[in-house]
Every structure is written in C-alpha cells, then in structure tokens.
Amino acid sequence: MTIKPLGDKVVIKKLQAEETTKSGIVLTSSAQEKPQIAEIIAVGPGGVIDGNNVVMEVKVGQKVLIRDYAGTNVKLDGEGFIIVKQEDILGIVG
C-alpha cells in the first residue's frame, strides 16, 4: 500500500539516530538525540493552497531537515511515516 499526499503535504521517514559518538562511545536510547533528518518518500502536487500558489521544492529521495514535533505520525503496513507540510521542512541535506 502507498501514501499519496495531497496539496502541499510531504510523506517522510525519519532516519535512525546515531548509536555511537564519533569517538566510538555507544549511546543508550535515552541519551540519543531525536533525529531531525528524514528521507522524502512521497510529495504532493502543490497548487493553490489557501489562496496562495505553492510550488513543491522537494523531491522523492532527498534527505531533509525538519522541525521538532512537526507533522502527523502514521503507520502503514507496520512502518512509521510522518506527513508534514512543505513549510515544516527547514532545508535539504546534501
């Protein structure tokens, strides 16, 4: 099953948090930072949203930086996804 976002929505999947530091120290799950980097799974068509023309600037497969606590969490076929508005994406990581 797939998710097709509408309007200015984007489906993302958060990337795994780092489990070790650069110096090799293993972190417990409570000490790990919440990842703010996610991969784009699907992108809505954009269009006129609330009277404004919204052009989608992101593409499927890009890694992006998102706001804390942004979007709506959904589960589909046992996998977790987040649906966010394009404005909740802070930048493209590359």
Side-chain angles (χ1 to χ4, degrees):
M1 197 178 300
T2 61
I3 302 173
K4 181 177 180 179
L6 303 175
D8 64 341
K9 305 296 188 290
V10 178
V11 179
I12 60 172
K13 185 171 185 168
K14 282 197 173 180
L15 299 178
Q16 293 294 321
E18 293 291 325
E19 295 182 12
T20 58
T21 64
K22 289 181 182 179
S23 61
I25 299 171
V26 177
L27 300 172
T28 63
S29 60
S30 62
Q32 294 173 6
E33 289 184 28
K34 282 189 161 188
Q36 290 180 293
I37 297 177
E39 182 176 358
I40 296 179
I41 305 300
V43 178
V48 179
I49 312 292
D50 296 328
N52 299 318
N53 188 30
V54 176
V55 177
M56 300 307 283
E57 298 180 30
V58 294
K59 299 176 192 162
V60 173
Q62 287 181 318
K63 289 183 175 59
V64 294
L65 185 64
I66 61 168
R67 296 179 193 261
D68 285 335
Y69 310 108
T72 302
N73 293 310
V74 294
K75 270 203 171 197
L76 186 64
D77 295 334
E79 281 194 84
F81 299 97
I82 303 172
I83 300 176
V84 298
K85 289 185 174 186
Q86 181 175 244
E87 66 188 33
D88 289 330
I89 297 174
L90 303 174
I92 299 169
V93 177

